[in-house]
Amino acid sequence: MLRRGGGGSREAWARAGIAMLTALAAVACSRAPRPPDIVILLADDLGWADVGYHRTDASGAIVTPEIDALARAGLRLERYRTAPLCTPSRAGLLTGRSPLRLGLLRNVVGADSQGLPIDEELLPAAFARAGYATAMVGKWHLGHARPEQWPNARGFERFYGFLTGWIDYSSHEHDGALDWWRDTRPVREEGYATRLLSDEAVRILSERGRTRPLLLYVAFNAPHAPVHVPPGKTLDAPPGENRTRRAYALMVAELDRAVGEILGAIERGDRARETIVFFASDNGADPAYGGSNAPLRDGKYTVFEGGIRAPAVLWWPGHVAPGGSERLVTHLDVLPTLAGLAGIALDPARPLDGMNLGPELSSGSGAAREPVAFGCEDGEDRRYALVGERWKLVETRGRDAVRASLFDVAADPGEERDLGGTEPARLSEMRARLESWEAMPTRLPAIPAQR
């Protein structure tokens, strides 16, 4: 602080002031702008028609004002595709690499040791190297048999949630055993899971004195089965109304409330315009538990559009213009796109199957991309899809037969017309491209040990 002292001249004070301003300017210029915070909000089995902004007469009325507001303010990714099951969907999102390459086409279940390969680098580890604080809230479902498979060993500094694929919303138990964790410690807490998860996310976002940019991954279990009406809500279904759909709608309303609480915490903070929010469902809905993918075909467990096409929104005010995008975007693109928007360089020695679409999504333009493959295993059946901007191959391989169908999903999103018989050359070309995805190498350079 400058003080007026005896004997000082105006010239001396001016020189001292200029020197101080120059020093302050140098310090300010030496500080690189702080990268944006990243918040990923992942719903579980939320169908195409289970958000208000996709409502159709056939879908049944579900009101989602908070998600709808995000969709109005952000960029709606109307051709977002993902894997049709929980584990492969999360594996692709957090690695940027195809579940076909990872050998994960089915869900991790029971006490088996299967899960995301330990030598895979996940999104939080890449962001942590760039100086981010990393936290996860919610459902893991990428391996739970050994501690080295758990979130705290895979790049997340903090974890609050559960490890398996589903839990009871109130007891937080999976098959009769408690599955509710804070970091690596099981904790028994009272409360409906969706509310506990949103409260924890708000708590993290509201912490004072954060000096590092934040990556927060919030993976809700709602509205995944079991169907469980939130506390304080009553299942008042009129005669003739589908009671399962009504209960499911109440679960979605609770999810919508939770999304609103998190968005409110972002808006109340001092980093609202320096926060990127990505919202999506992990896959399509399971109609058996009340979800709807209308007017798309089928749902979860299938590679038809109802299984792999999901609602998704990207929000970054001042950087990504609101509106609707018809670009093909996949769960494999989430990691490279968010890293690109945040200015984070990824390891070039680890090939990704997703693309950094940030510049194209921001400008609203871009060239057509190569088709992307999706798959799942269901018993002895393997189901594959190869999806391009217009054409889509669906192939089912059973013990005794293989069936391949071709759809023009740009003109026929309901996949009602199989064009394989009238487009044999295109069908053969798509099948050959699918085989190249299956032949992808899986070996990787080792990840350096973290200290």
Side-chain angles (χ1 to χ4, degrees):
M1 179 178 179
L2 293 175
R3 296 171 56 189
R4 288 186 183 271
S9 66
R10 291 184 178 179
E11 291 79 5
W13 281 109
R15 287 194 298 271
I18 292 171
M20 178 62 76
L21 291 173
T22 302
L24 291 173
V27 170
C29 292
S30 67
R31 295 174 180 168
R34 181 170 161 182
D37 290 347
I38 308 287
V39 178
I40 300 172
L41 304 176
L42 193 66
D44 198 353
D45 293 5
L46 182 70
W48 180 261
D50 294 334
V51 290
Y53 71 93
H54 280 167
R55 187 178 304 127
T56 68
D57 291 340
S59 67
I62 287 186
V63 180
T64 54
E66 302 293 347
I67 295 172
D68 292 356
L70 180 67
R72 287 193 300 272
L75 181 65
R76 302 183 308 279
L77 306 177
E78 299 289 47
R79 295 186 184 272
Y80 177 77
R81 283 7 185 263
T82 179
L85 292 175
C86 300
T87 293
S89 174
R90 286 160 171 74
L93 187 149
L94 290 177
T95 65
R97 290 161 55 81
S98 171
L100 280 75
R101 185 194 293 275
L102 302 175
L104 279 180
L105 294 184
R106 66 176 63 194
N107 282 336
V108 176
V109 296
D112 63 40
S113 60
Q114 184 185 17
L116 190 63
I118 297 298
D119 63 353
E120 286 292 332
E121 179 173 80
L122 275 60
L123 184 151
F127 275 69
R129 279 205 315 274
Y132 273 73
T134 59
M136 177 183 171
V137 174
K139 169 176 167 175
W140 178 238
H141 207 190
L142 288 171
H144 54 268
R146 306 186 308 274
E148 58 265 33
Q149 295 177 305
W150 299 355
N152 291 100
R154 306 307 301 268
F156 287 107
E157 297 170 9
R158 300 164 64 174
F159 169 60
Y160 177 78
F162 62 103
L163 298 173
T164 58
W166 60 268
I167 55 168
D168 181 275
Y169 280 73
S170 291
S171 71
H172 314 147
E173 293 181 349
H174 176 91
D175 285 341
L178 179 67
D179 184 17
W180 198 253
W181 303 78
R182 186 170 291 280
D183 295 323
T184 58
R185 295 183 300 104
V187 291
R188 191 169 288 279
E189 297 179 340
E190 298 293 326
Y192 189 78
T194 308
R195 297 183 184 180
L196 291 177
L197 297 178
S198 64
D199 288 348
E200 180 71 9
V202 168
R203 191 157 36 243
I204 292 171
L205 289 165
S206 303
E207 288 175 345
R208 300 290 182 182
R210 284 195 289 116
T211 59
R212 292 187 290 163
L214 173 67
L215 168 70
L216 175 60
Y217 171 49
V218 185
F220 289 103
N221 57 319
H224 191 289
V227 177
H228 189 149
V229 175
K233 304 295 182 180
T234 57
L235 187 56
D236 295 326
E241 182 174 329
N242 185 321
R243 290 178 63 84
T244 302
R245 176 67 173 171
R246 175 60 181 161
Y248 177 91
L250 293 173
M251 296 170 69
V252 173
E254 185 65 26
L255 168 69
D256 185 71
R257 181 210 62 81
V259 169
E261 291 290 326
I262 293 170
L263 296 177
I266 293 171
E267 291 169 350
R268 289 191 300 271
D270 59 1
R271 299 263 300 157
R273 295 188 66 83
E274 289 78 43
T275 300
I276 300 171
V277 175
F278 175 72
F279 169 85
S281 179
D282 66 336
N283 45 249
D286 186 346
Y289 295 102
S292 174
N293 303 300
L296 306 178
R297 179 173 174 177
D298 286 356
K300 183 179 178 179
Y301 305 107
T302 81
V303 292
F304 289 108
E305 291 292 86
I308 67 172
R309 189 169 171 181
V313 177
L314 180 68
W315 177 84
W316 192 12
H319 298 269
V320 176
S325 171
E326 297 296 322
R327 295 280 291 132
L328 171 59
V329 182
T330 79
H331 63 144
L332 308 179
D333 304 322
V334 174
L335 188 159
T337 297
L338 292 180
L341 292 174
I344 294 175
L346 300 174
D347 182 0
R350 304 181 65 79
L352 300 185
D353 301 309
M355 300 171 57
N356 174 12
L357 298 177
E360 297 179 11
L361 295 175
S362 300
S363 66
S365 62
R369 67 184 295 176
E370 292 295 311
V372 181
F374 304 87
C376 70
E377 294 180 358
D378 185 14
E380 294 184 353
D381 287 347
R382 282 198 170 201
R383 299 166 182 167
Y384 295 98
L386 186 73
V387 185
E389 300 284 355
R390 175 181 176 185
W391 296 99
K392 176 180 176 182
L393 167 72
V394 173
E395 186 168 296
T396 301
R397 303 177 189 176
R399 173 185 290 182
D400 302 317
V402 176
R403 178 178 178 180
S405 301
L406 182 71
F407 301 98
D408 180 352
V409 288
D412 177 27
E415 296 169 297
E416 298 177 351
R417 299 180 296 278
D418 181 355
L419 303 179
T422 58
E423 296 274 354
R426 193 177 303 277
L427 178 65
S428 297
E429 175 199 359
M430 295 287 278
R431 295 189 74 182
R433 289 189 179 210
L434 176 60
E435 290 178 1
S436 70
W437 275 84
E438 292 184 276
M440 291 185 302
T442 59
R443 296 189 64 183
L444 291 168
I447 300 174
Q450 296 186 7
R451 297 182 179 180

